[in-house]
Amino acid sequence: MRARFRSRRRVLGFLESRDGIAAVEFGIMAPIFGLVFAGMADLGGVLYTQFRLNAAVSAGANYAIVNASSVSSSSGATLASTIAQVVENNAGSNWADDTIVVNDGPTETVTGGQLSASGSAANADSCYCPTGSGASITWGTAQTCGATCTGGGVAGKFVTITASRTYTPLFSSYGIVQNGAVTISTTVEVQ
């Protein structure tokens, strides 16, 4: 009978013991904290990529504004190429792919560090009323410079800059990653 009592006491003593409770709590909470930390690091990576692309596109837009007189058939291709270099150098060589379109004319595309030019230089002399946003710009037909556009605004000369970088998030795209890439676009009216 005494052995049974001792055995029962040991079991009750074990159940009432607080030794090792912190280790058990840590074992339960560690995976949760690990997931939260990984999610924060992943979101940080997405935001870092977006901020770097924003800075690169902003630098290109500033260059386009300062060199607005170069939006012409004679120097539009050089302007597109230089803006592409500004965007590339801001984020680091081969860091992102970008496309620069000078007034529905000279276009410079950088993919994997390789530049390719296209577009009609003559279009850079016309004024347009572009519609759309981001990388989905529709130029429409040439307008008289300074004329009122159908959707509001004034016909002018524009430069579009689009930069993108592939990114594969760990958990979710956070609404920032679309089709496996972070993309930033802007349209700047220079004249």
Side-chain angles (χ1 to χ4, degrees):
M1 185 94 134
R2 216 166 217 206
R4 237 170 123 188
F5 182 69
R6 280 187 204 157
S7 172
R8 186 182 228 189
R9 226 167 126 195
R10 283 184 188 161
V11 170
L12 289 174
F14 176 73
L15 291 176
E16 291 176 356
S17 175
R18 298 283 181 211
D19 296 340
I21 193 99
V24 171
E25 288 173 349
F26 178 77
I28 292 170
M29 296 303 290
I32 295 168
F33 285 133
L35 284 173
V36 169
F37 178 74
M40 288 177 13
D42 188 35
L43 178 60
V46 170
L47 291 176
Y48 175 77
T49 301
Q50 184 181 32
F51 294 155
R52 288 296 304 248
L53 288 172
N54 264 328
V57 168
S58 292
N62 289 338
Y63 189 87
I65 290 169
V66 169
N67 294 285
S69 61
S70 295
V71 179
S72 65
S73 59
S74 60
S75 55
T78 303
L79 177 64
S81 177
T82 306
I83 292 172
Q85 290 172 2
V86 167
V87 172
E88 282 292 303
N89 291 336
N90 190 281
S93 183
N94 298 334
W95 192 76
D97 295 337
D98 50 273
T99 302
I100 289 62
V101 180
V102 176
N103 211 37
D104 194 29
T107 301
E108 192 74 36
T109 303
V110 180
T111 305
Q114 300 297 318
L115 282 83
S116 64
S118 62
S120 173
N123 289 356
D125 289 331
S126 301
C127 288
Y128 294 92
C129 292
T131 57
S133 63
S136 303
I137 296 291
T138 302
W139 291 94
T141 59
Q143 304 287 319
T144 303
C145 292
T148 303
C149 297
T150 307
V154 177
K157 295 185 177 186
F158 297 84
V159 174
T160 62
I161 304 168
T162 303
S164 66
R165 177 166 170 78
T166 57
Y167 191 88
T168 306
L170 294 173
F171 294 106
S172 173
S173 67
Y174 309 105
I176 299 171
V177 180
Q178 303 293 326
N179 300 321
V182 178
T183 303
I184 302 295
S185 296
T186 191
T187 301
V188 181
E189 184 171 6
V190 294
Q191 292 179 5

